[in-house]
Amino acid sequence: MEHNEINRLSRLTSILIQLQSKRLVTAPKLAAKYGVTPRTIYRDMKALETSGVPIVCEEGRGYSLMEGYRIPPVMFTINEANALITAEFIIRACKDESLIKEFSSAIEKIKAVIPNALKAQIEILEQKIGVTKTYTDVGPKSKYLLSIQKALTEHQVITINYINAAHNLSVRDVEPFAVYSNQNDEWVLVAYCRLRKEFRTFSLTGIQKLSLADESFDPHSITFAAYRKQAYGK
């Protein structure tokens, strides 16, 4: 098989993965990613359609897969499998219980599709890898990261019972805007606080209780990058 044809097959496979993992992909972005012209991407999409992949073209927006269509699981290389196992150990050392639980569940599903030949090597790595914080960090953990992420993406107001650094308790209705991990590996929520009528930050370890309010909000026009620059000057 000629080199160009091998490159094209590799690109088509990668485009399939992109279509599976993203809601919408565009020809210009794919062209930039693979170092080809948009016209080449158009031909690739046509080739995938001809082979039976149900691609939906949204005029002026991009490409997506037909709702309900699923591509068979991809095969992992040993390096990809080891990267996932390493990520699992790092996640176990994080300071949010919900993330640890759900990531561990996801890893179990991934392991189910990994070939037996790789599983033996993975088991060796699991016995010979560790993250110090897993064994030494006994500080408080948060448990609402994934709930907050869901509310953030769905633009849903949340109510939190929050204890601040001075140990004062307050109940706030907030509009989730972003989450980040600080220098102490603690997760922090950035949200518009309806009580203070401005953006505030809340350490997730200070959230004692969280509930979803029966109310949504309009997305804020400012981006997270712009907020960081405004708040921290970088």
Side-chain angles (χ1 to χ4, degrees):
M1 187 179 293
E2 294 184 1
H3 180 69
N4 287 343
E5 190 63 22
I6 293 174
N7 282 344
R8 188 179 188 226
L9 286 174
S10 176
R11 188 174 66 248
L12 288 172
T13 301
S14 184
I15 289 173
L16 273 173
I17 294 172
Q18 292 289 311
L19 286 165
Q20 176 75 18
S21 60
K22 298 181 184 296
R23 186 170 58 88
L24 202 68
V25 297
T26 67
K29 286 188 176 180
L30 289 174
K33 179 178 177 65
Y34 301 114
V36 297
T37 65
R39 185 179 294 275
T40 296
I41 297 298
Y42 299 146
R43 288 198 293 265
D44 288 344
M45 290 298 182
K46 188 66 177 177
L48 289 172
E49 286 183 297
T50 302
S51 68
V53 178
I55 296 174
V56 178
C57 177
E58 299 184 31
E59 191 67 33
R61 297 190 64 202
Y63 299 94
S64 62
L65 285 177
M66 183 180 292
E67 187 68 28
Y69 180 80
R70 289 293 179 268
I71 299 169
V74 297
M75 301 301 288
F76 292 99
T77 67
I78 183 60
N79 285 341
E80 289 171 337
N82 285 346
L84 287 168
I85 297 305
T86 303
E88 181 184 14
F89 275 80
I90 293 172
I91 292 296
R92 286 181 192 173
C94 86
K95 293 189 175 182
D96 186 84
E97 294 174 352
S98 67
L99 181 59
I100 296 170
K101 177 183 176 183
E102 296 301 331
F103 192 86
S104 296
S105 176
I107 284 291
E108 287 303 314
K109 293 177 181 178
I110 290 172
K111 287 178 180 177
V113 301
I114 291 177
N116 289 333
L118 289 185
K119 287 179 181 176
Q121 296 181 60
I122 287 172
E123 289 172 1
I124 293 173
L125 180 62
E126 287 180 318
Q127 296 169 11
K128 297 178 180 294
I129 187 172
V131 177
T132 302
K133 286 187 177 181
T134 304
Y135 317 109
T136 61
D137 192 346
V138 294
K141 290 184 180 291
S142 58
K143 54 185 177 181
Y144 295 115
L145 175 62
L146 296 189
S147 296
I148 289 171
Q149 288 176 333
K150 184 174 185 295
L152 188 157
T153 58
E154 296 179 355
H155 306 112
Q156 189 168 8
V157 176
I158 60 175
T159 301
I160 59 174
N161 291 28
Y162 186 72
I163 295 180
N164 63 16
H167 304 291
N168 297 317
L169 174 66
S170 62
V171 179
R172 315 277 189 102
D173 286 337
V174 301
E175 301 172 3
F177 174 68
V179 287
Y180 67 88
S181 181
N182 65 16
Q183 65 272 18
N184 297 319
D185 295 328
E186 295 175 344
W187 286 99
V188 177
L189 165 67
V190 182
Y192 180 80
C193 177
R194 291 185 168 181
L195 177 66
R196 303 302 182 191
K197 301 189 183 306
E198 63 181 358
F199 281 100
R200 290 292 182 93
T201 58
F202 304 90
S203 170
L204 265 61
T205 56
I207 298 177
Q208 306 300 299
K209 182 180 179 182
L210 180 148
S211 59
L212 300 176
D214 188 20
E215 182 181 359
S216 60
F217 62 90
D218 294 329
H220 298 282
S221 58
I222 188 173
T223 65
F224 187 35
Y227 167 84
R228 292 199 308 268
K229 186 173 182 180
Q230 177 180 299
Y232 306 110
K234 57 181 178 180

